[in-house]
Amino acid sequence: MIWRNLSAGILLLVVIIALGVYDSAQLHSYLVGIENWIAGLGFWGPVAFLGLFIILTFVFFPDSVLGATAGALFGLWLGFAVVLFGAIVVQCLVFGISRHYFQQRVQQAIDKRPKLVAIQRAANRKGFRLQFLLRLMPLNPVMVSHVLATTGTRFGVFLVACLGLIPGLFVQVYTGYAAKHMIKAAGAPGEHATIHTMLVAGGLVVCLLLMVVVTRVAQAAIVEAETEP
């Protein structure tokens, strides 16, 4: 499941960039129009997106799509700041609501899935270490927060472990940022230095490779933790 999701995400990115380069002139004009519209919103652009991010991820909408969108709309650093803040807020809300209001229902759902039961038991034994590793995995963070809310973990430990979301969120935002840059560079080559485009593309490749490595290490550690008595 994990590797299928990761492979699907990489394939989707390649298809989007290929389509963008194929029809680069038209997409370039669209991107410029969207950038001008976002700039016209000023402070309220990122705020509105943040609210949308919180609402959609709370109901299991793929955060990868929203992360890439933030990178395309707001650039690398502002997009990353918005997505990271929104992700932390959502995880805290899910943890609190699930623990205090829906813990029994969540536990019933977990009991039907042996993999989640194993993660729950391992989280009770390993605490922060396992929670941090779970955040490094390409798993839906809301689902993970629901599971962790049924364990004995303290909120402070849960919150600090959420920092493990940073690498994955950064790659998501960078993906959108890089895709937009390459589409714009193909649509208006004279406006973008070739070396800059090569660096952006190279950075994307490095990010994806690092995520594969991090995912493999985290997955191996989680499997080990699950199988320990």
Side-chain angles (χ1 to χ4, degrees), residues 133-156:
L133 290 171
L134 286 171
R135 297 304 187 180
L136 293 174
M137 299 285 286
L139 300 169
N140 187 290
V142 172
M143 179 197 69
V144 173
S145 294
H146 277 299
V147 174
L148 295 178
T150 65
T151 68
T153 186
R154 292 176 298 170
F155 176 74

mmCIF file of all heavy atoms in Angstrom, residues 133-156:
data_model
loop_
_atom_site.group_PDB
_atom_site.id
_atom_site.type_symbol
_atom_site.label_atom_id
_atom_site.label_comp_id
_atom_site.label_asym_id
_atom_site.label_seq_id
_atom_site.Cartn_x
_atom_site.Cartn_y
_atom_site.Cartn_z
ATOM 1 N N LEU A 133 8.446 8.010 13.580
ATOM 2 C CA LEU A 133 8.643 7.191 12.379
ATOM 3 C C LEU A 133 7.366 7.103 11.555
ATOM 4 O O LEU A 133 7.410 7.136 10.319
ATOM 5 C CB LEU A 133 9.110 5.788 12.778
ATOM 6 C CG LEU A 133 10.527 5.677 13.341
ATOM 7 C CD1 LEU A 133 10.770 4.286 13.896
ATOM 8 C CD2 LEU A 133 11.560 6.018 12.275
ATOM 9 N N LEU A 134 6.233 6.995 12.238
ATOM 10 C CA LEU A 134 4.959 6.946 11.519
ATOM 11 C C LEU A 134 4.730 8.217 10.716
ATOM 12 O O LEU A 134 4.160 8.186 9.622
ATOM 13 C CB LEU A 134 3.808 6.750 12.505
ATOM 14 C CG LEU A 134 3.647 5.350 13.120
ATOM 15 C CD1 LEU A 134 2.604 5.381 14.233
ATOM 16 C CD2 LEU A 134 3.242 4.340 12.058
ATOM 17 N N ARG A 135 5.165 9.351 11.263
ATOM 18 C CA ARG A 135 4.989 10.624 10.567
ATOM 19 C C ARG A 135 5.895 10.743 9.343
ATOM 20 O O ARG A 135 5.620 11.525 8.431
ATOM 21 C CB ARG A 135 5.255 11.794 11.523
ATOM 22 C CG ARG A 135 4.291 11.872 12.696
ATOM 23 C CD ARG A 135 2.859 11.927 12.238
ATOM 24 N NE ARG A 135 1.936 12.159 13.338
ATOM 25 C CZ ARG A 135 0.619 12.256 13.198
ATOM 26 N NH1 ARG A 135 0.077 12.113 12.008
ATOM 27 N NH2 ARG A 135 -0.160 12.483 14.236
ATOM 28 N N LEU A 136 6.964 9.974 9.318
ATOM 29 C CA LEU A 136 7.858 9.991 8.160
ATOM 30 C C LEU A 136 7.315 9.150 7.006
ATOM 31 O O LEU A 136 7.779 9.279 5.881
ATOM 32 C CB LEU A 136 9.240 9.458 8.553
ATOM 33 C CG LEU A 136 10.055 10.312 9.522
ATOM 34 C CD1 LEU A 136 11.327 9.583 9.917
ATOM 35 C CD2 LEU A 136 10.392 11.668 8.913
ATOM 36 N N MET A 137 6.342 8.303 7.306
ATOM 37 C CA MET A 137 5.801 7.405 6.292
ATOM 38 C C MET A 137 4.752 8.114 5.446
ATOM 39 O O MET A 137 4.082 9.042 5.912
ATOM 40 C CB MET A 137 5.154 6.200 6.971
ATOM 41 C CG MET A 137 6.125 5.372 7.800
ATOM 42 S SD MET A 137 7.200 4.374 6.777
ATOM 43 C CE MET A 137 6.052 3.115 6.236
ATOM 44 N N PRO A 138 4.580 7.676 4.185
ATOM 45 C CA PRO A 138 3.518 8.243 3.337
ATOM 46 C C PRO A 138 2.154 7.669 3.696
ATOM 47 O O PRO A 138 1.463 7.066 2.880
ATOM 48 C CB PRO A 138 3.953 7.848 1.919
ATOM 49 C CG PRO A 138 4.739 6.601 2.107
ATOM 50 C CD PRO A 138 5.450 6.749 3.422
ATOM 51 N N LEU A 139 1.783 7.812 4.977
ATOM 52 C CA LEU A 139 0.475 7.398 5.466
ATOM 53 C C LEU A 139 -0.384 8.633 5.665
ATOM 54 O O LEU A 139 0.144 9.728 5.895
ATOM 55 C CB LEU A 139 0.616 6.658 6.800
ATOM 56 C CG LEU A 139 1.456 5.379 6.801
ATOM 57 C CD1 LEU A 139 1.727 4.932 8.233
ATOM 58 C CD2 LEU A 139 0.754 4.283 6.027
ATOM 59 N N ASN A 140 -1.707 8.464 5.606
ATOM 60 C CA ASN A 140 -2.578 9.603 5.859
ATOM 61 C C ASN A 140 -2.400 10.053 7.308
ATOM 62 O O ASN A 140 -2.678 9.287 8.234
ATOM 63 C CB ASN A 140 -4.033 9.210 5.606
ATOM 64 C CG ASN A 140 -4.966 10.403 5.687
ATOM 65 O OD1 ASN A 140 -5.196 10.947 6.764
ATOM 66 N ND2 ASN A 140 -5.507 10.812 4.554
ATOM 67 N N PRO A 141 -1.919 11.276 7.544
ATOM 68 C CA PRO A 141 -1.634 11.715 8.916
ATOM 69 C C PRO A 141 -2.866 11.776 9.802
ATOM 70 O O PRO A 141 -2.764 11.593 11.018
ATOM 71 C CB PRO A 141 -1.005 13.103 8.731
ATOM 72 C CG PRO A 141 -1.309 13.515 7.350
ATOM 73 C CD PRO A 141 -1.545 12.292 6.547
ATOM 74 N N VAL A 142 -4.037 12.036 9.234
ATOM 75 C CA VAL A 142 -5.261 12.067 10.033
ATOM 76 C C VAL A 142 -5.582 10.676 10.577
ATOM 77 O O VAL A 142 -5.958 10.517 11.743
ATOM 78 C CB VAL A 142 -6.437 12.627 9.208
ATOM 79 C CG1 VAL A 142 -7.751 12.475 9.962
ATOM 80 C CG2 VAL A 142 -6.198 14.092 8.871
ATOM 81 N N MET A 143 -5.419 9.657 9.739
ATOM 82 C CA MET A 143 -5.640 8.287 10.190
ATOM 83 C C MET A 143 -4.683 7.938 11.329
ATOM 84 O O MET A 143 -5.071 7.331 12.333
ATOM 85 C CB MET A 143 -5.447 7.312 9.035
ATOM 86 C CG MET A 143 -5.633 5.849 9.418
ATOM 87 S SD MET A 143 -4.927 4.702 8.200
ATOM 88 C CE MET A 143 -3.172 5.001 8.406
ATOM 89 N N VAL A 144 -3.408 8.331 11.174
ATOM 90 C CA VAL A 144 -2.412 8.068 12.209
ATOM 91 C C VAL A 144 -2.799 8.757 13.509
ATOM 92 O O VAL A 144 -2.691 8.181 14.595
ATOM 93 C CB VAL A 144 -1.015 8.533 11.749
ATOM 94 C CG1 VAL A 144 -0.006 8.413 12.890
ATOM 95 C CG2 VAL A 144 -0.551 7.715 10.549
ATOM 96 N N SER A 145 -3.278 9.995 13.431
ATOM 97 C CA SER A 145 -3.670 10.736 14.631
ATOM 98 C C SER A 145 -4.853 10.069 15.329
ATOM 99 O O SER A 145 -4.913 10.028 16.564
ATOM 100 C CB SER A 145 -4.012 12.184 14.271
ATOM 101 O OG SER A 145 -2.870 12.872 13.819
ATOM 102 N N HIS A 146 -5.800 9.550 14.550
ATOM 103 C CA HIS A 146 -6.925 8.828 15.147
ATOM 104 C C HIS A 146 -6.427 7.610 15.936
ATOM 105 O O HIS A 146 -6.899 7.347 17.048
ATOM 106 C CB HIS A 146 -7.906 8.374 14.067
ATOM 107 C CG HIS A 146 -8.877 9.429 13.637
ATOM 108 N ND1 HIS A 146 -9.771 10.007 14.516
ATOM 109 C CD2 HIS A 146 -9.113 10.003 12.426
ATOM 110 C CE1 HIS A 146 -10.506 10.895 13.869
ATOM 111 N NE2 HIS A 146 -10.133 10.906 12.600
ATOM 112 N N VAL A 147 -5.491 6.879 15.344
ATOM 113 C CA VAL A 147 -4.960 5.692 16.015
ATOM 114 C C VAL A 147 -4.216 6.079 17.287
ATOM 115 O O VAL A 147 -4.405 5.479 18.357
ATOM 116 C CB VAL A 147 -4.035 4.905 15.071
ATOM 117 C CG1 VAL A 147 -3.356 3.756 15.815
ATOM 118 C CG2 VAL A 147 -4.807 4.368 13.875
ATOM 119 N N LEU A 148 -3.363 7.100 17.193
ATOM 120 C CA LEU A 148 -2.570 7.502 18.357
ATOM 121 C C LEU A 148 -3.430 8.052 19.479
ATOM 122 O O LEU A 148 -3.050 7.978 20.652
ATOM 123 C CB LEU A 148 -1.529 8.541 17.930
ATOM 124 C CG LEU A 148 -0.452 8.043 16.957
ATOM 125 C CD1 LEU A 148 0.492 9.168 16.577
ATOM 126 C CD2 LEU A 148 0.324 6.880 17.563
ATOM 127 N N ALA A 149 -4.598 8.597 19.135
ATOM 128 C CA ALA A 149 -5.497 9.128 20.161
ATOM 129 C C ALA A 149 -6.036 8.021 21.056
ATOM 130 O O ALA A 149 -6.466 8.291 22.188
ATOM 131 C CB ALA A 149 -6.651 9.884 19.515
ATOM 132 N N THR A 150 -6.020 6.783 20.585
ATOM 133 C CA THR A 150 -6.529 5.661 21.389
ATOM 134 C C THR A 150 -5.439 5.026 22.245
ATOM 135 O O THR A 150 -5.717 4.088 22.993
ATOM 136 C CB THR A 150 -7.132 4.576 20.475
ATOM 137 O OG1 THR A 150 -6.086 4.007 19.653
ATOM 138 C CG2 THR A 150 -8.213 5.157 19.583
ATOM 139 N N THR A 151 -4.210 5.510 22.111
ATOM 140 C CA THR A 151 -3.110 4.971 22.909
ATOM 141 C C THR A 151 -2.938 5.802 24.174
ATOM 142 O O THR A 151 -3.647 6.781 24.400
ATOM 143 C CB THR A 151 -1.793 4.997 22.100
ATOM 144 O OG1 THR A 151 -1.385 6.369 21.886
ATOM 145 C CG2 THR A 151 -1.966 4.313 20.753
ATOM 146 N N GLY A 152 -1.948 5.414 24.984
ATOM 147 C CA GLY A 152 -1.714 6.144 26.224
ATOM 148 C C GLY A 152 -0.763 7.309 26.076
ATOM 149 O O GLY A 152 -0.302 7.866 27.078
ATOM 150 N N THR A 153 -0.459 7.702 24.844
ATOM 151 C CA THR A 153 0.510 8.777 24.636
ATOM 152 C C THR A 153 -0.003 10.110 25.150
ATOM 153 O O THR A 153 -1.198 10.408 25.097
ATOM 154 C CB THR A 153 0.844 8.911 23.135
ATOM 155 O OG1 THR A 153 1.898 9.859 22.978
ATOM 156 C CG2 THR A 153 -0.359 9.378 22.338
ATOM 157 N N ARG A 154 0.913 10.919 25.653
ATOM 158 C CA ARG A 154 0.559 12.257 26.115
ATOM 159 C C ARG A 154 0.530 13.215 24.930
ATOM 160 O O ARG A 154 1.220 13.020 23.932
ATOM 161 C CB ARG A 154 1.570 12.744 27.146
ATOM 162 C CG ARG A 154 1.532 11.969 28.474
ATOM 163 C CD ARG A 154 2.622 12.457 29.397
ATOM 164 N NE ARG A 154 3.943 12.223 28.814
ATOM 165 C CZ ARG A 154 5.074 12.717 29.318
ATOM 166 N NH1 ARG A 154 5.039 13.482 30.390
ATOM 167 N NH2 ARG A 154 6.229 12.450 28.743
ATOM 168 N N PHE A 155 -0.258 14.278 25.086
ATOM 169 C CA PHE A 155 -0.406 15.223 23.986
ATOM 170 C C PHE A 155 0.925 15.876 23.616
ATOM 171 O O PHE A 155 1.205 16.100 22.439
ATOM 172 C CB PHE A 155 -1.427 16.306 24.343
ATOM 173 C CG PHE A 155 -1.569 17.366 23.292
ATOM 174 C CD1 PHE A 155 -2.233 17.106 22.105
ATOM 175 C CD2 PHE A 155 -1.012 18.632 23.475
ATOM 176 C CE1 PHE A 155 -2.348 18.069 21.116
ATOM 177 C CE2 PHE A 155 -1.119 19.605 22.495
ATOM 178 C CZ PHE A 155 -1.799 19.330 21.320
ATOM 179 N N GLY A 156 1.751 16.195 24.621
ATOM 180 C CA GLY A 156 3.040 16.830 24.335
ATOM 181 C C GLY A 156 3.926 15.965 23.469
ATOM 182 O O GLY A 156 4.576 16.450 22.529
#
